[in-house]
Amino acid sequence: MVVEMLRASLVPLAETLEIGAAPGILPLRDVQHLVTPVRGRLRDQAGLLALAERLHPTPAVGGEPRELALEMIAEHEGIERGWYASPIGWLGIDGDGELMVALRCGLVAGRDARLYAAAGSSRTRTPRASGRNRG
């Protein structure tokens, strides 16, 4: 579902587009992910922000069909997603840039930390440091 959404979203913007025929496995230390390589070259008029608007959120985090799923999430999920599944990145003055989606991330402010993952968010408070150096 995600690969087909990516294909449909990218074809109008791409000069070239190569999408892997089947997913592969990306083994990480504690988990494995299915990965389907997607490579292409955008047409000159296709900007990074327009690309982000077309691609975010994917069905993996926003559901399908997109509008109906997002409405249902907003109505029934019962938590504030915060930064979960937010696109982050940079955009250069020349229009080049990089975007990624923060599926697992955290926000630290003083002694408070808010962690975001696929199951939503959790809030934790760091313990007070003792007077001893534990380094």
Side-chain angles (χ1 to χ4, degrees), residues 14-124:
E15 280 181 18
T16 63
L17 186 61
E18 301 169 22
I19 299 177
I25 295 177
L26 173 64
L28 302 172
R29 190 185 76 196
D30 296 321
V31 69
Q32 295 186 42
H33 287 282
L34 288 176
V35 176
T36 302
V38 177
R39 294 183 190 272
R41 177 171 293 283
L42 295 176
R43 292 188 172 94
D44 286 338
Q45 69 275 17
L48 187 63
L49 296 178
L51 184 64
E53 182 178 34
R54 282 181 158 275
L55 299 179
H56 182 73
T58 70
V61 296
E64 183 68 24
R66 181 187 284 186
E67 296 307 318
L68 177 60
L70 292 176
E71 287 175 25
M72 291 183 70
I73 287 170
E75 186 177 336
H76 298 288
E77 192 168 57
I79 62 167
E80 173 57 47
R81 284 189 167 200
W83 283 15
Y84 170 70
S86 296
I88 57 174
W90 62 271
L91 177 62
I93 195 164
D94 60 358
D96 285 347
E98 184 173 339
L99 289 174
M100 59 211 81
V101 175
L103 291 179
R104 294 172 187 89
C105 59
L107 179 63
V108 177
R111 291 183 21 236
D112 289 332
R114 185 163 286 241
L115 307 175
Y116 298 93
S121 71
S122 64
R123 186 171 210 144
T124 186

